[in-house]
Amino acid sequence: MEYFVQQLINGLTLGSIYGLIAIGYTMVYGIIGMINFAHGDIFMIGSFIALATFLILTTVFGFVFLPVVLLIVLIVAMLFTSAWGWTVERLAYRPLRGSFRLAPLITAIGMSIVLQNFVQVTQGARNKPIPPQIQGGITIMEGMTENGRIAVQLSYMQMIIIATTVLLMIGFTLLITKTPLGRAQRACEQDRKMAALLGVNVDRTISLTFVMGAALASVAGLMFLLLYGVIDFYIGFLAGVKAFTAAVLGGIGSLPGAMLGGLLIGLIEVFWSGYFTIEYKDVAAFSILAIVLIFMPSGLLGKPEVEKV
Amino acid sequence: MVSASQSAAPAAAPMTGEQRKWDIDPVLTVEHLTMRFGGLVAVNDLSFNVGRGDITALIGPNGAGKTTVFNCVTGFYKPTEGRTVMRHGAGLLQDMVDEVTAGGLRSIRDGDKAVFLLERMPDFEISQFARVARTFQNIRLFGGMTVLENLMVAQHNTLMTASIYTIGGLIGLPGYRVAEKAAKEKAVYWLERTRLIERADDPAADLPYGDQRRLEIARAMCTEPHLLCLDEPAAGLNPRESAELNELLQFIRAEHATSILLIEHDMGVVMEISDHVVVLDYGVKIADGDAIQVKNDPKVIAAYLGVDDEAEIDIPEVRKDLEEVEQAASDEGSAS
Amino acid sequence: MAAGTPTAPTASNRPQGAQRALEERGDMPPAADHRTSMAGSLRDAATAAFLVFVLGFFFLGVRSDIAPGGLTLTFRWGLLAIAVAIVFGARLLLNIFVFRTARPLTQRMGGAISAQGRAFPNLGKWLGRALFAFAVILPFFFTYFFPGRERQYIDLAILIMTYIMLGWGLNIVVGLAGLLDLGYVAFYAVGAYSFALLAQHFEFIGFWTALPLAGLLAAFWGIILGFPVLRLRGDYLAIVTLAFGEIIRVVLLNWYEFTGGPDGISGIPKPTFFGLEFVRGEGGFADFFGIPFHNIHRFIYLYYIIFILAIITNLVTLRLRKMPVGRAWEALREDEIACRSLGINTTNTKLTAFALGAMFGGFAGSFFATRQGFISPESFTFLESAIILAIVVLGGLGSQIGVVISSIVMIGGIELLRNLGFLSQIFGPNFEPTQYRMLIFGIAMVLIMVWKPRGLVSTREPTAVLKEKKRIGADMVAQGEGH
């Protein structure tokens, strides 16, 4: 039981990170119907910016008060990563808007390769470790097993991750449902041409979608950095594929679905590692994806699609 | 009013339900067809017959469920309830229908005669075995392929057999070459009939709208159907093209063993060529009879309200606008 | 976004670049527009430069490295400044000569090029023949004209030819049938591992016995994987095939007892020439034919194996296109629902495309295994799938010659970077051009796609002709799954 609860907490933490990335996928898919393959690498870019900012603040400026440092890192990472998200859209996707379906997919894969290798060339291929920044936690459960005492730990780190995710989700939902920007976005999702005719600036709305997705991915990047303490140029691929899986699982185009899917993928992965084999955790996640798509093609919260004849 | 219509239709003189031609020798029977999408009942307990060799029109206001009926008959939707019987061979073939229904079978064959329960068959088998071909409301051609290629694709199953499932064709057996030549000849035959022969080597997407409609009919005919289902074949055609379409349909009925079921809004077309008209409103049948009978049915007039008067408006622009509005509305209706 | 209705190529599914060019030609009064002014160009260039400053700040300007006491920072403001300056200059020049002028340079050049294209309508055909003729004599060409370096060139030719074959195999699935497969490398892996494992466990199995088996196994896997997923549409199919590709790789990586895990399998036998091995001395190939032994014989032989395999792939594809099944593939790409209404069993049709593509992937895989003599999961990553797909799409979906051109450009071009050693004299001794390979590959992918969204060769040739063969423009042809 204790082991189960511990895995549950770990799964939710990991799932929060996936969920934050998944929102970027789901929003972009919703609005322009393409898989933004480079989004996982935007997440990676975000974590590198967070790392660099963190190092500059601590070693050059000598800041030591962690909450302030992290807050600055968060803001800087969000801003600069947004610029990357905007640029990727502007360079690789906008020129192909209205073109045939495969072209933006190929530029997206190309962009993913570009970002990975750009970071590899400029920052080196070796991974970047930082010492753990937020330690400690609270024990929420204790019990005895045949192997001795076991305690369920909820670390401060995990609390911060889950709390930040919840806050961002609330803010984000408000943004989409209550603001003119959110309305424009939903209008573009429904019918881009009509939205344009009604005076919605479609290009700007799409750009902002990428910016928002990138900002959330950078938060996920920062959390990843803090949680695992090590990043490299290749983390974007697997995290990206998993997050996309999450978005599809939850029903692509649906924001709560992306979050739910993220949490589920996180849980599946952690429980699989905890109870079966750690090597095949990716197989578990991908198999779930395949099974869900085959039997429930619109995902958990997606709208079912009626075939138009 | 009813008596007037009877006297005007000598072919259907003794109008006691059971003896109408399409009830005696139907090629297709739709029985108690119901189609629900979630809470929406698109078609409700619909029954009608399509007579062998007839041109049958399925009409009704927008959103009446006509296209849904088509999609159920051709297998694109699985009906919620009901039975759809397709017959090859004259008469009701009641024994065979009972046998196939009771036996849980999809079809049964006895010499030349065959009975198919369409609701039990996947869509492609309905075309392949039951020989029901169809066209679509929003034309579905293979736009990037030439006109000729479109017609060759339609003869897929014949050619597939002739090529011994590709293997024979791959190693160059003569049988396939002969079959391909025959297929091309059949394509040419239909291209001549539809006056598309000059455009044979052009991509289908390059054709003007009216030609595309005719090409779709030619393509459907290349599958050698017993029943041809046309979803608004006259939509968007100008009066001359519309008249040509009538000729083509009458030619198909006269020269080929093909019965025709069509959805149409153009009352001119319907009244001129239909032997039998079924009227649908809100998924329910409100009238069933020959053209004149239906035209004078008060329920039909009520259902159409102003729309029926459309025929009286003789200003082309206004008519065109009306059609466009209708088209848009029916597009929306079929999308839901 | 659905790619518009395939039957009506309206402005919405035409490449936007062309559309925009049209509009600009029609509406823009030259010179008087503020967009062509110098100040505007400068402002735009400054914006671009600022953007590069923002983007590059943490990547070009700052670098973190592992040091004994944790990560240390190096600042490279000079590099950042150079990058900003280059972008400012380049953008300014582009603005003046291309983007913001009444008569862009590209338009003038583009006009000249397309005029040439019109003048030689059979260019593709002749180019194909010339390339084929060159491919036939290629090993002798290099041994004769580049003695001493022939091994390197033939090796590169083998590599390119492998990608051509993979591209042709995938072209059946993506180009003809319109099924987006992002996990094609899985079948390449199945082919390679089939041969490697068969050879490991059964003494008597050589390359030529394993080749058909590997192809069949890959096709079998294609059917197994394809059956459940082929009813998925477009992007979903793409992502599930990607997932399957990754699953196969992870299994190969972790099933240590069977596949050797990350260590891979080594000692895979080399192909023999009718039983003759390419070894020195008694009973070898050279000995039998009474010619002096040379290492290059084996490479030449390998080259011809892959060349013939690729040609077979091409011929089978070309032949199938004119058969009912091939036409059904293309019809499926154009409109699946119409196919079903014509009695075509779409599941079977898709499966044959998937299985056939997989089979050719399997052949290429077992060739890869025998050429390398060693395989490990490293060689079968998603990147490989992406490269093959990129080759197909950049070449122009469904175009056989397009695959050849884009393989040569992308694979050959990238490998050329290995030969740019002289650049280190300009950029300093630490400069290593090879590390920029994939970066340049990615940039090229993006640029070519933006430049020609339909690929380099984008016309389609009809498979049945009544009177006159007319090529079909790319804007007519659907890309599959777009309904």
Side-chain angles (χ1 to χ4, degrees):
Chain A
M1 180 61 196
E2 284 76 17
Y3 188 64
F4 176 83
V5 175
Q6 184 68 66
Q7 297 296 345
L8 190 70
I9 294 171
N10 296 347
L12 288 177
T13 315
L14 183 62
S16 301
I17 295 180
Y18 286 152
L20 285 176
I21 311 174
I23 288 174
Y25 277 110
T26 224
M27 278 197 312
V28 167
Y29 195 96
I31 202 161
I32 53 174
M34 66 165 284
I35 304 175
N36 178 12
F37 247 97
H39 189 62
D41 299 289
I42 292 287
F43 153 78
M44 177 271 295
I45 292 269
S47 70
F48 268 87
I49 292 174
L51 173 75
T53 319
F54 179 79
L55 290 175
I56 290 174
L57 286 177
T58 49
T59 60
V60 179
F61 294 106
F63 278 42
V64 282
F65 187 56
L66 200 60
V68 173
V69 172
L70 288 185
L71 196 65
I72 298 174
V73 169
L74 185 75
I75 291 165
V76 170
M78 282 173 93
L79 286 177
F80 278 74
T81 314
S82 299
W84 276 95
W86 185 87
T87 310
V88 166
E89 194 272 336
R90 184 70 189 77
L91 290 182
Y93 306 149
R94 190 181 296 181
L96 292 170
R97 195 157 305 148
S99 175
F100 84 105
R101 215 184 86 254
L102 275 180
L105 184 76
I106 296 294
T107 50
I109 294 174
M111 260 301 160
S112 163
I113 295 176
V114 169
L115 294 182
Q116 267 177 36
N117 286 279
F118 174 72
V119 173
Q120 186 188 359
V121 166
T122 55
Q123 298 293 313
R126 298 179 64 184
N127 53 23
K128 318 269 176 199
I130 56 163
Q133 297 300 320
I134 304 167
Q135 281 165 320
I138 50 170
T139 306
I140 53 172
M141 252 171 110
E142 265 184 285
M144 295 295 291
T145 64
E146 60 263 38
N147 299 328
R149 289 170 59 82
I150 180 164
V152 178
Q153 281 273 332
L154 176 62
S155 70
Y156 295 130
M157 189 63 236
Q158 289 174 323
M159 281 194 255
I160 290 174
I161 289 179
I162 293 174
T164 314
T165 307
V166 169
L167 277 178
L168 278 173
M169 269 312 286
I170 293 172
F172 206 70
T173 313
L174 289 178
L175 188 71
I176 297 293
T177 50
K178 299 273 190 265
T179 64
L181 171 64
R183 195 158 48 237
Q185 225 169 13
R186 282 177 288 145
C188 289
E189 265 175 46
Q190 297 285 323
D191 187 336
R192 227 185 305 153
K193 216 174 259 172
M194 196 62 217
L197 288 175
L198 294 176
V200 174
N201 186 338
V202 173
D203 278 344
R204 214 192 87 205
T205 311
I206 293 176
S207 281
L208 279 172
T209 308
F210 276 83
V211 163
M212 287 192 287
L216 288 179
S218 74
V219 178
L222 170 62
M223 290 172 175
F224 187 93
L225 173 70
L226 293 173
L227 186 67
Y228 291 101
V230 57
I231 56 172
D232 61 51
F233 71 97
Y234 200 62
I235 56 169
F237 173 66
L238 209 55
V241 174
K242 296 260 183 65
F244 185 76
T245 304
V248 172
L249 182 62
I252 198 134
S254 149
L255 294 181
M259 208 58 231
L260 177 71
L263 291 178
L264 282 176
I265 291 287
L267 288 171
I268 289 164
E269 211 180 298
V270 166
F271 276 107
W272 191 279
S273 317
Y275 286 97
F276 302 103
T277 54
I278 196 159
E279 289 87 8
Y280 287 105
K281 66 182 163 78
D282 297 344
V283 173
F286 291 139
S287 307
I288 297 279
L289 170 76
I291 292 166
V292 168
L293 276 184
I294 290 163
F295 293 105
M296 212 177 9
S298 44
L300 296 170
L301 301 183
K303 282 170 280 190
E305 214 171 294
V306 178
E307 189 177 48
K308 245 190 194 176
V309 179
Chain B
M1 195 199 271
V2 174
S3 66
S5 80
Q6 277 174 358
S7 61
M15 262 308 164
T16 50
E18 283 313 303
Q19 278 159 319
R20 292 184 297 189
K21 179 178 167 288
W22 49 82
D23 291 333
I24 297 163
D25 184 15
V27 65
L28 177 81
T29 302
V30 173
E31 289 170 355
H32 306 294
L33 179 75
T34 300
M35 183 73 209
R36 288 192 202 98
F37 297 104
L40 178 83
V41 185
V43 179
N44 194 7
D45 196 30
L46 173 71
S47 303
F48 67 93
N49 282 325
V50 176
R52 189 174 307 281
D54 280 357
I55 294 182
T56 308
L58 189 59
I59 63 169
N62 295 310
K66 304 180 296 288
T67 300
T68 308
V69 173
F70 259 42
N71 286 339
C72 289
V73 168
T74 50
F76 284 92
Y77 294 160
K78 284 281 153 257
T80 322
E81 275 165 43
R83 185 169 75 165
T84 326
V85 184
M86 178 75 193
R87 297 178 183 83
H88 294 179
L92 281 169
L93 307 175
Q94 199 55 46
D95 297 346
M96 289 170 79
V97 174
D98 292 343
E99 194 183 335
V100 72
T101 309
L105 304 169
R106 287 177 176 182
S107 63
I108 193 167
R109 198 174 279 279
D110 176 19
D112 284 348
K113 293 175 181 163
V115 165
F116 303 88
L117 290 195
L118 301 186
E119 79 278 6
R120 295 183 183 172
M121 297 168 72
D123 42 23
F124 69 93
E125 284 187 2
I126 289 178
S127 165
Q128 189 179 359
F129 302 118
R131 299 220 167 267
V132 179
R134 72 169 290 176
T135 65
F136 297 88
Q137 196 173 353
N138 41 349
I139 309 174
R140 287 183 174 274
L141 290 170
F142 306 124
M145 303 173 86
T146 65
V147 170
L148 180 65
E149 281 178 302
N150 268 272
L151 301 192
M152 298 296 275
V153 172
Q155 303 176 57
H156 176 81
N157 288 311
T158 322
L159 288 172
M160 204 67 179
T161 320
S163 68
I164 321 177
Y165 299 94
T166 311
I167 297 154
L170 204 55
I171 55 177
L173 289 187
Y176 174 66
R177 243 171 286 156
V178 174
E180 178 156 275
K181 201 158 161 265
K184 224 180 220 181
E185 273 161 17
K186 192 200 274 180
V188 168
Y189 171 84
W190 281 110
L191 288 177
E192 279 167 352
R193 287 297 166 281
T194 49
R195 295 186 302 98
L196 291 168
I197 192 78
E198 295 303 319
R199 307 295 309 259
D201 292 320
D202 289 326
D206 248 2
L207 300 185
Y209 190 79
D211 288 1
Q212 292 197 0
R213 283 248 174 248
R214 285 206 307 282
L215 176 57
E216 219 190 2
I217 296 175
R219 190 180 65 180
M221 284 313 293
C222 277
T223 64
E224 299 196 340
H226 285 214
L227 176 65
L228 176 64
C229 300
L230 303 172
D231 199 342
E232 299 200 21
L237 300 189
N238 63 33
R240 194 176 55 84
E241 288 173 323
S242 204
E244 281 170 8
L245 176 77
N246 286 359
E247 265 170 51
L248 176 64
L249 296 188
Q250 270 157 347
F251 168 80
I252 288 173
R253 185 199 20 195
E255 300 292 317
H256 296 265
T258 303
S259 319
I260 295 174
L261 173 64
L262 62 102
I263 292 177
E264 194 44 75
H265 275 296
D266 187 333
M267 285 303 147
V269 175
V270 172
M271 294 305 153
E272 195 181 326
I273 65 170
S274 312
D275 303 294
H276 173 195
V277 179
V278 177
V279 190
L280 234 59
D281 193 20
Y282 293 107
V284 183
K285 185 168 85 173
I286 57 170
D288 186 344
D290 64 41
I292 296 150
Q293 233 179 338
V294 163
K295 197 177 180 181
N296 297 323
D297 191 315
K299 270 205 252 168
V300 177
I301 296 167
Y304 269 87
L305 281 175
V307 184
D308 191 46
D309 299 336
E310 179 194 324
E312 313 297 325
I313 305 171
D314 251 352
I315 308 160
E317 283 83 357
V318 174
R319 233 152 93 183
K320 207 170 142 241
D321 283 355
L322 266 173
E323 260 166 36
E324 264 169 25
V325 170
E326 262 180 52
Q327 177 76 32
S330 69
D331 280 350
E332 210 145 72
S334 68
S336 61
Chain C
M1 168 199 71
T5 48
T7 47
T10 54
S12 68
N13 58 2
R14 217 186 291 152
Q16 210 204 8
Q19 200 180 324
R20 192 182 287 165
L22 265 176
E23 280 166 13
E24 283 174 6
R25 230 175 293 148
D27 306 338
M28 253 183 39
D33 201 292
H34 73 279
R35 288 196 50 212
T36 53
S37 74
M38 191 63 197
S41 297
L42 274 171
R43 206 175 314 129
D44 178 76
T47 317
F50 175 71
L51 188 66
V52 169
F53 173 76
V54 171
L55 298 184
F57 188 84
F58 287 109
F59 292 92
L60 298 169
V62 182
R63 177 177 171 136
S64 54
D65 276 299
I66 300 178
L71 289 172
T72 56
L73 285 175
T74 337
F75 294 100
R76 304 178 292 194
W77 304 123
L79 184 65
L80 183 59
I82 291 170
V84 170
I86 289 176
V87 167
F88 181 79
R91 180 85 191 180
L92 192 60
L93 288 177
L94 276 175
N95 277 340
I96 292 170
F97 291 110
V98 184
F99 296 150
R100 288 168 181 253
T101 137
R103 287 188 64 215
L105 264 181
T106 44
Q107 200 175 310
R108 276 175 262 169
M109 274 155 36
I113 290 167
S114 64
Q116 269 176 3
R118 275 193 294 277
F120 302 102
N122 284 330
L123 194 67
K125 202 158 136 201
W126 285 105
L127 183 67
R129 285 180 190 171
L131 282 173
F132 177 79
F134 179 69
V136 171
I137 58 151
L138 182 139
F140 303 103
F141 175 84
F142 282 121
T143 27
Y144 191 78
F145 288 103
F146 298 93
R149 301 187 65 184
E150 71 267 37
R151 188 182 148 180
Q152 188 194 344
Y153 285 126
I154 293 173
D155 230 14
L156 177 59
I158 293 174
L159 186 70
I160 292 176
M161 206 54 97
T162 314
Y163 277 102
I164 290 176
M165 175 162 180
L166 287 167
W168 277 341
L170 186 61
N171 209 1
I172 297 176
V173 184
V174 183
L176 295 183
L179 304 166
L180 186 49
D181 184 354
L182 285 180
Y184 191 62
V185 78
F187 306 121
Y188 190 42
V190 167
Y193 269 87
S194 305
F195 174 37
L197 289 168
L198 283 169
Q200 204 178 34
H201 293 289
F202 304 100
E203 192 74 358
F204 58 91
I205 284 188
F207 174 70
W208 292 110
T209 26
L211 184 72
L213 285 176
L216 284 179
L217 274 170
F220 174 72
W221 271 101
I223 292 171
I224 297 271
L225 297 188
F227 197 73
V229 304
L230 282 177
R231 59 202 187 99
L232 297 174
R233 294 189 312 109
D235 298 325
Y236 283 2
L237 178 68
I239 207 76
V240 171
T241 49
L242 187 156
F244 274 141
E246 283 298 295
I247 288 175
I248 287 195
R249 191 179 62 84
V250 174
V251 169
L252 290 176
L253 197 62
N254 290 303
W255 196 358
Y256 200 86
E257 307 79 47
F258 189 58
T259 64
D263 302 342
I265 300 172
S266 52
I268 301 165
K270 301 277 170 220
T272 58
F273 184 79
F274 296 103
L276 297 173
E277 285 184 49
F278 287 84
V279 289
R280 198 182 286 278
E282 196 87 351
F285 173 83
D287 179 54
F288 185 83
F289 286 97
I291 48 174
F293 174 80
H294 197 293
N295 231 343
I296 199 70
H297 293 158
R298 188 161 64 80
F299 288 94
I300 295 178
Y301 184 52
L302 280 172
Y303 171 79
Y304 279 114
I305 292 176
I306 188 66
F307 177 58
I308 288 166
L309 283 175
I311 290 298
I312 290 173
T313 312
N314 184 32
L315 289 180
V316 169
T317 311
L318 288 182
R319 182 109 202 176
L320 284 177
R321 268 198 74 205
K322 305 199 169 179
M323 308 269 299
V325 69
R327 291 207 189 101
W329 289 337
E330 293 199 76
L332 202 63
R333 178 191 65 201
E334 299 284 330
D335 194 325
E336 182 173 343
I337 286 175
C339 277
R340 276 153 46 189
S341 84
L342 297 173
I344 295 173
N345 184 338
T346 48
T347 314
N348 284 357
T349 309
K350 285 180 184 176
L351 271 183
T352 48
F354 219 60
L356 213 68
M359 186 179 82
F360 289 125
F363 287 153
S366 64
F367 173 78
F368 175 78
T370 194
R371 184 197 119 174
Q372 300 287 99
F374 163 78
I375 51 168
S376 74
E378 289 256 300
S379 314
F380 308 106
T381 56
F382 167 70
L383 185 66
E384 211 66 25
S385 287
I387 290 175
I388 304 166
L389 181 67
I391 284 173
V392 173
V393 178
L394 295 177
L397 282 175
S399 162
Q400 300 289 89
I401 187 81
V403 167
V404 177
I405 296 171
S406 68
S407 296
I408 294 173
V409 170
M410 299 303 282
I411 306 297
I414 293 309
E415 289 299 314
L416 272 186
L417 283 176
R418 291 192 195 279
N419 299 334
L420 298 182
F422 66 90
L423 283 179
S424 58
Q425 284 159 2
I426 306 170
F427 292 103
N430 288 332
F431 182 80
E432 227 199 291
T434 48
Q435 66 169 335
Y436 296 96
R437 271 170 65 223
M438 287 319 291
L439 184 61
I440 292 172
F441 186 89
I443 292 173
M445 254 169 98
V446 175
L447 287 183
I448 296 180
M449 257 312 62
V450 171
W451 173 48
K452 274 189 175 284
R454 296 271 169 169
L456 296 169
V457 181
S458 54
T459 52
R460 176 184 173 272
E461 218 167 281
T463 63
V465 180
L466 196 63
K467 291 196 196 85
E468 178 198 359
K469 187 185 270 188
K470 297 175 186 166
R471 289 165 172 280
I472 297 171
D475 48 345
M476 308 273 171
V477 183
Q479 304 299 334
E481 303 293 339
H483 50 263

